[in-house]
Each structure stands twice: as structure tokens, then as C-alpha cells.
Amino acid sequence: MLIHNNISLRDKNSFGFDVTAEYFCRANSVEEIREAIAWQRQKQLPLFILGGGSNTVFTRNISGLVLHIAIDKLHTDTTGDLVSVFAGAGINWHSLVESTVLKGQYGLENLALIPGNAGAAPIQNIGAYGKELCDNLISVDVLDQQTDELLTLQTDDCQFGYRQSLFKTSAGSKLIVLGIKLQLSTVDTPVINYAALREALPENDITAEQVFRQVCALRQSKLPDPAKLGNAGSFFKNPIVESQHVDTLRQQYPHLPVYPQAGGCFKLPAAWLIDQAGWKGHRVNGVGVHDRQALVLVNHGTGNGQQIAILAEEIRADIRQRYNIDLEPEPVIYQ
Ligand code: EPU
């Protein structure tokens, strides 16, 4: 295992911010992760775990060791209609979705083209077009940095919610995801309850492969490709508010879209709130708000993480003032 010194992370974060890692290493196995942790402990350096870098905002150089998890094992077991797939944390998420769908193993089609690696998928319980990772997840293999134990957490142990999991809490922050086990099926039963997806598909005889292609087309039509325009997907979570709050907002904004949630609350599209507030296409220094999806902040090429953090705070302050809503950033911002 090689440990590099003073490495640029530009091609290792989807915003393309040119920060450096004091030390960097790529771990292809649990043994290599353990080796890297032992080295970092012996040198008393901070440790930073990096997956695909698609949900990360670097605002400064990273001191200590950046450990990139690159485990790429893939293992499939089929029993009758059921297919269980174990995917190493370092496998690119979209390649996994595409390869399973094309092999006739269905379940992940709605989650096509989400940037990042399989290991990051449970951390924020990735979701899109009517499905979330937890719908098809069996378990997550982790290494506990504190105890050096290898654990398999069942889906119920992971405290999944909307863009939320155990791994985002302090109790789970020392767990390194090594791989995930997914439950897929050879039976083609597409999920098409997301309005924008259903409207874009024919009325009858829809297949999972069609869903896969349509989700790709929808995402490509409004979300920028990080390889061309740096971004981290949705920058804010969609806020969940009480029905009274919706009633107040509706008096001023009668066209406000709302999605009813369990417990009488409503999820509001942050993109709509930001768009109505006039931020779409806004550009400042080298960063801005995407001109086709107001929820996506972008690096126009010369921007940096500090500028993104400032822009995000300006948007949050404006949204708070206009709608009395506090938007929560989705990516992790390293200040
Ligand atoms: N809208 C606007 N202006 C815009 C964009 C959207 O007014 O610039 C309105 C739309 O008209 C619609 C509503 O906002 O009424 C919702 O838009 P959309 O269906 O595009 O979804 P979203 O809520 O903006 C969420 C996820 C996306 C996911 C899509 C599709 C979050 C934070 N984002 O976006 O996830 O792809 O639904 O399911 O939940 C990601 O996490 O990186 C991501 C892209």
C-alpha cells in the first residue's frame, strides 16, 4: 500500500476543488484499511475517509491522511427469483445500477446516474424518483475504527430516513463502510409512483429497463454532469414543515408544490423555494446556482469551496427570511 504526500484532490471530489491532501492512500481491502489506520495512529495524524467525493465540499487543504476506500469486490447469489448482490464500497454506483439492470436483476433502476460509490450510498440513504437505497438494502459491512471490529449492520440497525442514517450521527461516525448487500429480483416490477417519471413513460407494459433509461434521460436533462460542471447534486434537503406553516405560505404562494408525509407534515421542494426567490442561474465569483435545477450549486471552473459555503449561507438566509424555513445542506462541508 502506497502513501503519497501532498496530493491534489481535484479529480477526487465532484466539485473539482483543487485542494491538497497532506497524505493520501487508496485501500483495496480491509487489511489495507487497517494498515493505513495503524500508520496514521502511529504518526498521530487526523484521518479523513473519502469515497467517490460526490457529497463533499472541501473548503481548505486537508491535513493528515486522506484514505480512499477502493474495495471493488462484487459477488452475486441467486435463489429462485431473488438475487442478492454484495458490492464493495469502492464500486461506482451507476455502473452497479447499469450492470444489474442489464443482467435482468431489478430493483435499482430508479437510482440510475446518482454520482458516487456504493460505500457512500447508505451514508445518506440515496434516493430519487420514488425509491431510496434502504428499499433494496439487506445489510452494510463496516469496520469500527474505535474497536477494530468487523460488523454487519442489518437495514433496521441503520436508522434510515430521508437522506439520513446512523452513519451521519456521532454514534456511527467511526464506522467505515466496506460494502453493501442488496436484495434484487429477476421479476420485472418497476416502481413508477414519482409523477415526473410516470408522465415521461408510456401508459402500459413498462419495464425496469425503460425506467432505467427514462431516469437517465430525466437526470441528464436537468442535472449537470460533474465531469463537465463541478457539483454535488442537490445541495439542500427538501424541508419538512407542519401543515400550519404550509397554510401560511399558501396565502402568499398559492402555487407552492407540497408532498404530504406521514404524521400530517409536508415536504416542500427546496428547488422551488430557491427558484421563486430568483437564485436560479445566479453567478458569483467562480460559483453559482445551476440554470436548470435551482437545488444544484455549481463550480464554473475557477470557484472554490469557501465561495460555495458563502453562497450556500446567502441562499439559506434569504430562504429563512422569505419563507421562515431553514434549509439544511445535503453535502458535508469541511470548514
Ligand atoms: N423545481 C423548481 N425549480 C427548479 C427545479 C425544480 O421550481 O429549478 C420544482 C419542480 O417543478 C418540482 C419540484 O421543484 O415541482 C421538485 O423538483 P424535482 O422533481 O426535480 O426534484 P427535487 O425535489 O428538486 C429530489 C432529490 C433529487 C432527485 C429528485 C428526483 C432531494 C434533496 N433531491 O430533487 O436528488 O434526483 O428529487 O427524485 O431530495 C440528489 O440528492 O443529489 C438529487 C439530485
Side-chain angles (χ1 to χ4, degrees):
M1 188 191 53
L2 278 176
I3 296 187
H4 306 270
N5 183 212
N6 202 25
I7 286 281
S8 169
L9 297 176
R10 187 182 203 138
D11 62 353
K12 296 177 177 63
N13 72 101
S14 62
F15 264 116
F17 292 140
D18 196 9
V19 298
T20 55
E22 187 181 5
Y23 295 99
F24 177 86
C25 94
R26 193 181 300 276
N28 295 300
S29 63
V30 184
E31 295 71 37
E32 288 192 350
I33 295 176
R34 283 183 160 140
E35 220 181 297
I37 291 176
W39 182 88
Q40 157 263 332
R41 282 211 180 124
Q42 192 244 324
K43 295 228 174 258
Q44 300 189 335
L45 291 168
L47 178 68
F48 184 100
I49 306 292
L50 182 65
S54 63
N55 208 38
T56 308
V57 183
F58 291 123
T59 62
R60 55 170 169 82
N61 293 335
I62 305 295
S63 52
L65 176 66
V66 173
L67 175 57
H68 175 60
I69 310 296
I71 300 172
D72 61 358
K73 272 192 229 156
L74 186 67
H75 177 79
T76 304
D77 260 334
T78 307
T79 315
D81 297 342
L82 297 180
V83 185
S84 69
V85 175
F86 174 84
I91 292 182
N92 173 270
W93 175 259
H94 178 69
S95 334
L96 177 67
V97 174
E98 185 173 38
S99 67
T100 53
V101 172
L102 298 184
K103 278 188 264 184
Q105 302 164 347
Y106 306 120
L108 303 182
E109 46 283 350
N110 299 54
L111 303 178
L113 273 188
I114 295 183
N117 291 349
I123 295 177
Q124 60 156 348
N125 185 23
I126 56 171
Y129 297 102
K131 283 200 75 171
E132 289 183 333
L133 176 82
C134 63
D135 300 333
N136 288 86
L137 188 78
I138 301 172
S139 59
V140 183
D141 284 358
V142 297
L143 172 71
D144 187 330
Q145 278 180 59
Q146 268 162 337
T147 61
D148 195 42
E149 258 181 306
L150 291 175
L151 305 167
T152 297
L153 305 177
Q154 304 304 310
T155 301
D156 284 349
D157 303 329
C158 296
Q159 299 170 19
F160 288 123
Y162 165 62
R163 300 293 195 273
Q164 184 56 34
S165 75
L166 165 75
F167 310 103
K168 282 186 142 187
T169 66
S170 54
S173 65
K174 295 288 175 200
L175 302 175
I176 300 177
V177 177
L178 306 171
I180 58 177
K181 195 169 180 187
L182 298 156
Q183 180 77 81
L184 307 182
S185 168
T186 55
V187 182
D188 192 338
T189 38
V191 173
I192 45 166
N193 48 27
Y194 195 88
L197 177 61
R198 199 174 47 241
E199 284 156 18
L201 285 163
E203 274 189 25
N204 299 310
D205 303 327
I206 296 150
T207 64
E209 194 171 328
Q210 272 175 300
V211 170
F212 169 76
R213 304 219 178 277
Q214 194 56 58
V215 168
C216 290
L218 282 170
R219 289 186 75 99
Q220 278 161 343
S221 71
K222 49 188 172 183
L223 295 171
D225 176 355
K228 297 186 185 128
L229 187 63
N231 74 89
S234 301
F235 200 91
F236 299 103
K237 290 188 192 179
N238 285 331
I240 295 169
V241 302
E242 306 275 335
S243 65
Q244 257 180 341
H245 196 151
V246 169
D247 294 343
T248 315
L249 287 172
R250 274 269 169 88
Q251 286 167 15
Q252 201 181 344
Y253 307 99
H255 301 297
L256 169 72
V258 298
Y259 310 112
Q261 303 294 296
C265 288
F266 291 87
K267 195 191 264 181
L268 308 183
W272 190 93
L273 303 173
I274 298 170
D275 194 348
Q276 291 296 307
W279 287 96
K280 199 163 171 171
H282 175 84
R283 249 174 118 134
V284 56
N285 300 313
V287 298
V289 178
H290 188 48
D291 56 9
R292 273 178 287 150
Q293 222 308 359
L295 200 49
V296 179
L297 303 191
V298 296
N299 172 15
H300 285 292
T302 56
N304 61 46
Q306 291 283 0
Q307 292 166 351
I308 282 284
I310 292 169
L311 174 61
E313 276 314 309
E314 283 173 3
I315 294 172
R316 289 181 77 187
D318 188 35
I319 298 304
R320 214 176 281 129
Q321 198 229 324
R322 282 174 196 264
Y323 312 102
N324 190 22
I325 287 176
D326 196 14
L327 291 183
E328 192 187 332
E330 190 179 284
V332 183
I333 304 172
Y334 293 95
Q335 299 282 6

